[in-house]
């Protein structure tokens, strides 16, 4: 130790000491990279959202230090990130290798697709079912992908009218089908819990493209099949 100390003072660091410092520096770099990998990209966003929820609870008169609320801001922040995960997903991500060439020219219908979304006006849920139909133009899509398309757009702040249109347009863009039809029926908590407080009210929206818009018989067939109880 005395030799090392003397050598460093004289400006001559022994080889062993140099190797030790080099190894320590590399280890520090590895630890930093490992910590960066463990740290989610949205960690800072999560903490900001949690802090905002804490502020909301305090402003509502709650004691954020009591046991039941200690972790509520963090839990609420994580839940909100899940509710809005559609912002992090694209149609291209889910349709990769899910479109197939197929000589099928009749209507394909997937009905009763459960959906949950958040009304962008009051940030409270609306929920219900989506019914989708398309007429292939030599291309079909994996059936589960239709539900995934609904999931992507519903997991964002939404109004039902826009949600319906986005689902229809995404299918039209992906498949270039002969026609696309989307109907959504949903209950809105902003009508049930506040305002007019009408518990049984449902909202229905539809978008018809291509043959479903131009051909009344095709449109009527779809509506009869999906709305029949």
């Amino acid at each position: 130790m005395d030799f090392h100390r003397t050598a460093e003072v004289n400006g001559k660091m022994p080889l062993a000491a140099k190797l030790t410092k080099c190894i320590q520096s590399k280890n520090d770099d590895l630890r930093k990279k490992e910590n960066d990998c463990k740290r989610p990209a949205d960690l800072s966003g999560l903490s900001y959202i949690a802090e905002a929820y804490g502020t909301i609870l305090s402003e509502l008169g709650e004691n954020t230090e009591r046991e039941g609320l200690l972790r509520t801001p963090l839990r609420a922040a994580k839940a909100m990130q899940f509710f809005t995960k559609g912002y992090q997903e694209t149609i291209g991500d889910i349709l990769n290798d899910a479109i197939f060439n197929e000589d099928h020219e009749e209507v394909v219908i997937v009905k009763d697709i459960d959906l949950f979304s958040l009304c962008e006006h009051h940030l409270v849920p609306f929920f219900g079912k989506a019914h989708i139909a398309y007429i292939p133009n030599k291309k079909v899509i994996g059936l589960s992908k239709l539900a995934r398309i609904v999931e992507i757009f519903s997991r964002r702040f939404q109004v039902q009218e826009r949600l319906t249109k986005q689902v229809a347009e995404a299918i039209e863009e992906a498949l270039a089908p002969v026609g696309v039809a989307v109907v959504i029926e949903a209950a809105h908590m902003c009508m049930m819990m506040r305002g007019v407080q009408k518990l049984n009210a449902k909202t229905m929206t539809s978008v018809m493209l291509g043959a479903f818009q131009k051909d009344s018989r095709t449109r009527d067939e779809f509506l009869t099949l999906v709305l029949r109880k």
Side-chain angles (χ1 to χ4, degrees):
M1 289 292 297
D2 292 340
F3 174 78
H4 288 174
R5 207 170 6 257
T6 303
E8 287 181 23
V9 170
N10 294 333
K12 296 178 181 179
M13 183 181 295
L15 180 59
K18 287 183 179 180
L19 287 174
T20 300
K21 282 203 167 187
C22 181
I23 292 171
Q24 183 179 359
S25 176
K26 287 187 176 181
N27 286 340
D28 289 341
D29 289 339
L30 287 173
R31 276 193 292 270
K32 183 178 183 301
K33 288 180 180 179
E34 183 179 3
N35 289 334
D36 288 342
C37 289
K38 289 180 179 178
R39 185 180 299 118
D42 60 351
L43 183 60
S44 59
L46 182 67
S47 63
Y48 289 138
I49 298 170
E51 184 179 354
Y53 273 116
T55 301
I56 291 171
L57 290 171
S58 295
E59 291 301 316
L60 291 173
E62 266 290 358
N63 173 17
T64 56
E65 298 302 315
R66 68 180 178 85
E67 183 181 9
L69 291 179
L70 279 177
R71 293 182 57 80
T72 295
L74 180 59
R75 286 191 293 261
K78 289 180 178 179
M80 182 58 73
Q81 285 190 332
F82 178 78
F83 297 153
T84 59
K85 66 187 179 72
Y87 288 119
Q88 312 305 321
E89 300 172 325
T90 68
I91 298 301
D93 293 336
I94 68 163
L95 294 188
N96 186 32
D97 298 327
I99 297 176
F100 311 97
N101 295 318
E102 192 67 41
D103 190 19
H104 181 82
E105 299 177 349
E106 302 301 323
V107 179
V108 177
I109 298 176
V110 179
K111 60 182 290 187
D112 294 331
I113 301 170
D114 292 320
L115 70 86
F116 303 87
S117 192
L118 290 175
C119 166
E120 67 180 33
H121 299 146
H122 300 99
L123 304 189
V124 294
F126 67 91
F127 56 92
K129 296 182 182 298
H131 314 295
I132 298 174
Y134 72 98
I135 302 174
N137 184 15
K138 307 300 182 183
K139 291 184 181 294
V140 298
I141 187 173
L143 296 178
S144 67
K145 301 305 181 182
L146 295 175
R148 290 292 305 278
I149 291 173
V150 173
E151 182 78 359
I152 283 180
F153 290 112
S154 63
R155 293 297 185 178
R156 302 176 182 184
F157 297 122
Q158 279 289 8
V159 295
Q160 185 174 327
E161 297 87 342
R162 182 171 68 239
L163 172 60
T164 311
K165 185 176 182 180
Q166 287 176 330
V167 171
E169 290 180 342
I171 297 169
E172 182 182 49
E173 183 177 346
L175 295 177
V178 175
V180 180
V182 178
V183 169
I184 292 179
E185 48 183 329
H188 292 248
M189 298 302 288
C190 58
M191 286 185 66
M192 299 167 69
M193 294 179 64
R194 57 166 299 282
V196 294
Q197 299 183 50
K198 301 303 181 185
L199 300 183
N200 297 312
K202 285 191 175 180
T203 300
M204 299 193 68
T205 50
S206 68
V207 171
M208 307 287 170
L209 302 176
F212 288 100
Q213 183 183 60
K214 298 173 183 176
D215 187 340
S216 61
R217 291 177 301 174
T218 303
R219 181 170 60 252
D220 290 344
E221 178 188 3
F222 164 68
L223 293 174
T224 299
L225 289 172
V226 300
L227 299 180
R228 183 173 57 195
K229 301 300 182 182

